[in-house]
Amino acid sequence: MNKENANKLWKAIQEAGDYLQGQLPEHQNHPNGRNPYAHVALCVKEKFHLSYKEIPNEKYNDVLRYIEFLKQNPS
């Protein structure tokens, strides 16, 4: 991912984290609440098998759509 797209994805991850604040279900491993920013970044990494910075530029729109999906489907 080029630097410009990586920065845009990070901003989208932050916005999704802001949106998901307090919406993620409780989890026994997170008694003080879940971190929505880490959740979104981890979900992206698990889906694309790479960190958001390592994903090829051709997948940029796919990643943005997935981040939007995560916002609409908190889990």
Side-chain angles (χ1 to χ4, degrees):
M1 184 77 49
N2 67 38
K3 184 175 174 116
E4 179 182 347
N5 284 346
N7 287 340
K8 288 178 184 177
L9 285 181
W10 178 241
K11 184 164 177 62
I13 289 169
Q14 289 177 312
E15 290 172 357
D18 290 344
Y19 180 82
L20 291 172
Q21 194 78 348
Q23 293 188 50
L24 296 175
E26 292 183 15
H27 191 276
Q28 63 188 8
N29 293 342
H30 305 281
N32 296 327
R34 292 171 66 189
N35 179 334
Y37 308 99
H39 172 74
V40 174
L42 182 61
C43 286
V44 167
K45 187 172 185 172
E46 288 177 350
K47 170 128 176 107
F48 294 94
H49 306 287
L50 297 166
S51 77
Y52 75 94
K53 292 180 182 179
E54 299 168 329
I55 297 170
N57 283 313
E58 305 83 56
K59 300 262 183 186
Y60 174 79
N61 288 325
D62 295 335
V63 178
L64 282 180
R65 281 191 291 273
Y66 184 62
I67 291 171
E68 189 60 34
F69 169 81
L70 292 172
K71 285 173 58 177
Q72 302 309 314
N73 299 281
S75 60

